[in-house]
Amino acid sequence: SGRVTTPQQVSFRANKTVDENLVAGTSLKVTFDSLAYDVGNNFSLVGKQFVAPVTGKYMFSTGFRVDIIDTAASSYQWIIDPNFSSDLSFLTLNLDAIADMDANDVAYVTIFQSGGTASHVHGSLTYDWFSGHLLG
């Protein structure tokens, strides 16, 4: 049929099940504590990161829910300008990237909020993930 499958191609999907507080003015390395799959065993739950086994291009995707977003917060890691009329109950942040990585380079997710009061990074299999796949 012309289909090509690569069942041993490096890929992973990590999920988040624990809540974390995001303190304004500090970076949070987001905890992904559960694996849906990890072909090649390259994601470290302890280190909260993916370690590239080989040099190549990798596609990454992440999304997580942030609760209690203060209108005085001035930015997040990928910038959101929260000029809302009132504090938001929640917002799901998503980011996709293709990264050129060398063997043993690491990829992980951080979030930074400057200003305002603390937000809350929700923990849920439904809302929170970090995934990656070796493209070639």
Side-chain angles (χ1 to χ4, degrees):
S1 66
R3 292 185 182 97
V4 176
T5 61
T6 54
Q8 298 306 311
Q9 186 79 338
V10 173
S11 63
F12 72 92
R13 179 183 166 115
N15 297 306
K16 178 176 182 47
T17 63
V18 297
D19 293 349
E20 295 178 281
N21 289 322
L22 176 59
V23 178
T26 63
S27 289
L28 171 69
K29 188 174 183 181
V30 180
T31 299
F32 293 94
D33 61 325
S34 173
L35 288 169
Y37 59 89
D38 185 8
V39 178
N41 297 314
N42 300 295
F43 191 88
S44 169
L45 292 173
V46 174
K48 310 175 205 174
Q49 64 191 18
F50 169 78
V51 180
V54 297
T55 297
K57 305 290 187 283
Y58 291 81
M59 174 70 188
F60 294 105
S61 177
T62 189
F64 48 90
R65 176 177 158 173
V66 179
D67 296 339
I68 315 168
I69 299 173
D70 189 353
T71 57
S74 49
S75 68
Y76 288 92
Q77 191 74 5
W78 52 96
I79 297 175
I80 294 172
D81 186 8
N83 290 328
F84 310 115
S85 59
S86 64
D87 292 351
L88 294 179
S89 297
F90 65 89
L91 178 67
T92 300
L93 304 174
N94 297 298
L95 178 68
D96 298 312
I98 296 176
D100 183 10
M101 299 181 76
D102 294 328
N104 297 313
D105 282 352
V106 298
Y108 53 89
V109 177
T110 61
I111 185 171
F112 178 81
Q113 173 186 320
S114 63
T117 58
S119 295
H120 182 80
V121 182
H122 191 70
S124 168
L125 292 174
T126 305
Y127 299 113
D128 311 302
W129 75 91
F130 177 33
S131 64
H133 182 88
L134 174 63
L135 297 175

